[in-house]
Amino acid sequence: MAVLTRGAYALPGTSLDFKTGNWRSTEVPAHVHAKAPCHGACPAGEDQQAWFGLLQQNNLEGAWRELVSANPLPAITGRVCPHPCETACNRVTLDGALAIHNVERWLGDRAIEHGWAYPAAAPAADAPVVAIVGAGPAGLSAAWHCVRLGLRAEIFEALPEAGGLLRSGIPPTRLPRDVIDAEIERLLAVPGITLNLRARLGRDVTLDGLRRSHAAVLLGPGCQEGKDWSVQGAVPVDLHEGLALLREFMDVGAFPPGDRVIVHGGGNTAMDLCRMLKRAGAGHVTLVTASGLPGPETDPGDVINVVPRELEEALEEGVEIIAHATINRLIMKGSKVTGVEVVSLRKLKGADGRTKRVSFEGTERVLPVDLVVPCVGERVSPEGLEGLLRGGYLRSVDAWGRLAADGVIAMGDARGDRGTVAEAIGDGRRAALAAAALVAGAPEPQEDAREVLQANALNTRYYPPRARSAAPKLPVEARTFEAEIEGCIGSDAALAEAARCLSCGNCLACDNCWTFCPDNAVIKTVELARDGSHYVFDLDYCKGCGLCAAECPTGYIQMVAEA
Amino acid sequence: MTDETRLSELRAKFGRVPPAPDEPSPKPLTLREKQPRFEGLVSGHRACQGCGEALAARLVMESAGPDVMVANATGCLEVFTTPWPQSAWHVPWIHSLFENAPAVASGMEAAMKAQGKKTKVLAFGGDGGTYDIGFQALSGMLERYHNILYVCYDNEAYMNTGIQRSSSTPHAASTTTSPAGKDRMGKRHLKKDLLSIIAAHHVPYAASASVAFPADLQRKVRYAMGIEGPTFIVVHSPCPLGWKHASALTIEVARRAVECGLFPLVELERGSLSNVMPIRSPRPVRDYLEVQGRFAHLMKDKDPRAEKERDHLQALADYNIATFGLAGAAQDANDTGGAAAVGRGGPLVGGM
């Protein structure tokens, strides 16, 4: 501090000598990169906020590169994903969640159209090779992430085409075949990935052989066998299991005859099947499900587990749904079914605290039918996996999918508690991380363990209102077996959606902290600061008032306890 | 004087000749020195946590400086920026008395005029120094038509001396000299409508602004700086200590004051209303009152007097909204919603 005699005048600017930072009592502002809720909710591990941020800067290819750093199949998930990201989106409290799903599809299609190259360097010629069983979404994702991590990937697929359930289980009205072809072909062209077709586990290759010849074995065989289904022991002779029927239809192009069809189950396969049957000309298609329909009175845990827009479209198309019910009895004429007895039921907590299905006597009703299709789920085909299956699945207790056998990692539907393409893609990424850790001899792979930013951490006052854009949809009359029902959102609407992103937990460089600090303790930098923002806190002068944190729109600034 | 000579004079005065690209700079500038804005009021001042007035003064200096000098009335601003032997000011600055800042500024302006200089004179005062004690000096300054921008930092009481009510304290606010209790619900009288009195001097420009809308505040300062003649801006500056709210809520409180209609943001030129900031969706006065301890006595639901005073304040807000036409017809880029909008890379200019 300058020493001045009495009567002297103050030197200009000398108050800078007085460090008011020691006035802070308990809390200090900090830049906290919390996870955006979309990122936290994404089963594939995408950071939607990050690529929306790049879209806001009009860097479309950069946005796609960021997107595929987690999910290499955006044109596909942009069509089939139930988008939990949108459910989690903090903008839902303002003027509707972002249309992330539609923008993802637009960006994925754009990458195919412009031929943007997948961003990964070719792995070294002598890099360890990882064996991947199954070229479905999990296997393809695992292969991509292996290459990103510097490993080579060799995929073994039983069928003559890559794609797995994308081809066999999802109708072209949701996922056109040319999109699958284009996206998978581009991904498989990434150097470091080799694909062996018609190589079935247990017939052409064995697990033990793969374990000997490769650094790790990632298993993504999917679920190929329908679960056994009977009603009190009765099984109709012409039983068609749901997924098999769907697959058959995609190959043959026709369903078994029947005007009155009952589908039993409550998943996306059941829903797809109902809609296809209806479109194929069945007069009455009825879904019998033990779950409830979404509504104010239904417990969220009890709602039918399908993509909401699919349910909406199915109802539009005239599929009937009997909720909270099950099939109690099959009425057979010989070994052919002619009717079913349906009974109401609820999932109720029993005395032991477990949820049980309780059917209510006196609610039985008989429906005449020509065809009953069970869609009650599938399990892993045991071929080549003897000794690894637990209850029909490759169950794994850890998040990475590691199995008891050393260096064998399970992923996708085969794990038994998965159900979406996005989950399979996320599993592929985690399995590749686990394989890379194994190869490197690292003890544990690392997952992003940051907290998810809650809506109350935002200051939404600073976001101008902007309505959500909707993607076009085919009217019910125009829906066929081939034409895609949902259309593309278009570039203008996609970029308008991008501008709606709140950037939860990430710096917008909006200058609010810099403008509002009464103590000039926020310093702006032209270069990017170490934490990825354009601001640093000068704690020499910060009195800890908390204004910057209160006025930060994105919750990126938070008051934390003084170290 | 040509612009060129004026520029070289300023460069000589402030020593900010940027070095030529090939010329090694003597000492690399620190991040703080490289800030892309003029810092007329620097850090190290002794304002409380979350001080609205320190923020307002900094915002004003950013847009007014660097070629300015300041006459400051007694008050918080004077006390916290100049604890002897230090000063937080990076411009010539003088303090004389509580009541005479406009008179001192008038003399400074006359001296500049006599020397043929164009340095703009600013006069700063709090609401005590402006609404009450320096009021006649201010009136004289306006009447004599000095080329001065007077900025009043309105924190609605004598905060420096311990929260005594001023003529700017709003109706029903509790202060140490208008305490709420058995007999009274805080201040009995109304907030003085100073802006109308200023406007009655027929000055070129008089405006109200708020720290919650910094872009609007700085636009008004720049506009006033461009006017040759007396101009006046009153800035609503919350005081966490005197208003009894958390220091992090300074901006929120100021924003609610504007959005409920109790502190209208208006501009008057030559005595007539020339512009207002419309309120996108007016919020109830209760939202503004409930976050401040000085209105805590109005939040007692069982007390009929509290209800009456709340209704009274709501009526005053409604009166402002009706008088100044603050209820905008449609969403507008300059209303309270549009003025706050930000996007990636900064405030959204013309954002809705």
Side-chain angles (χ1 to χ4, degrees), chain A residues 156-243:
Chain A
F156 298 90
E157 165 62 45
L159 297 176
E161 265 185 316
L165 179 114
L166 299 175
R167 285 186 200 281
S168 63
I170 301 176
T173 49
R174 272 170 76 194
L175 181 58
R177 291 299 170 259
D178 52 348
V179 175
I180 307 181
D181 292 342
E183 189 138 75
I184 292 182
E185 190 186 323
R186 273 163 50 72
L187 179 61
L188 289 173
V190 168
I193 301 180
T194 39
L195 172 65
N196 302 297
L197 294 171
R198 301 182 183 84
R200 184 180 288 278
L201 189 68
R203 185 188 70 192
D204 306 305
V205 287
T206 63
L207 187 57
D208 284 339
L210 291 177
R211 285 179 71 186
R212 274 195 297 277
S213 56
H214 291 77
V217 182
L218 313 188
L219 295 175
C223 294
Q224 311 295 343
E225 283 198 355
K227 280 188 190 162
D228 296 336
W229 179 85
S230 68
V231 177
Q232 295 173 353
V235 182
V237 68
D238 56 343
L239 179 73
H240 297 270
E241 188 276 322
L243 193 61

Side-chain angles (χ1 to χ4, degrees), chain A residues 1 4-8 10 12-18 20 23 49 53 56-57 459 461-462 464-466 503 507-510 512 514-520 523-525 536 538 541 543-547 550-551 553, chain B residues 31-32 35-37 39 41-51 54-55 58-59 84-90 211-214 247-248 250-252 255 259 280 331 336-337 340-348 352:
Chain A
M1 187 191 291
L4 294 169
T5 56
R6 242 182 193 294
T14 48
S15 77
L16 280 170
D17 288 348
F18 191 83
T20 47
W23 292 17
Q49 184 281 326
Q56 287 182 353
Q57 297 165 49
N459 189 337
R461 189 57 188 66
Y462 291 100
R466 285 185 172 133
S503 292
C507 186
L508 265 180
C510 71
N512 267 6
W514 188 59
T515 304
F516 282 128
C517 177
D519 295 293
N520 274 332
I523 308 265
K524 187 172 178 166
T525 70
V536 288
D538 187 346
Y541 300 105
K543 292 169 185 158
C545 67
L547 259 185
E551 300 308 319
Chain B
L31 268 186
R32 182 172 282 280
Q35 287 303 283
R37 65 183 180 197
E39 299 204 334
L41 176 62
V42 300
S43 305
H45 60 68
R46 271 64 148 181
C48 308
Q49 285 184 328
C51 175
L55 170 56
R58 202 206 76 214
L59 292 168
W84 193 88
Q86 295 178 337
S87 166
W89 297 93
H90 262 190
V211 286
F213 296 95
S247 60
T250 295
I251 301 299
E252 183 61 28
R255 181 159 48 224
E259 289 181 339
R280 184 164 288 184
Q331 282 185 9
T336 52
V342 301
R344 184 167 293 276
L348 282 180
M352 299 284 279

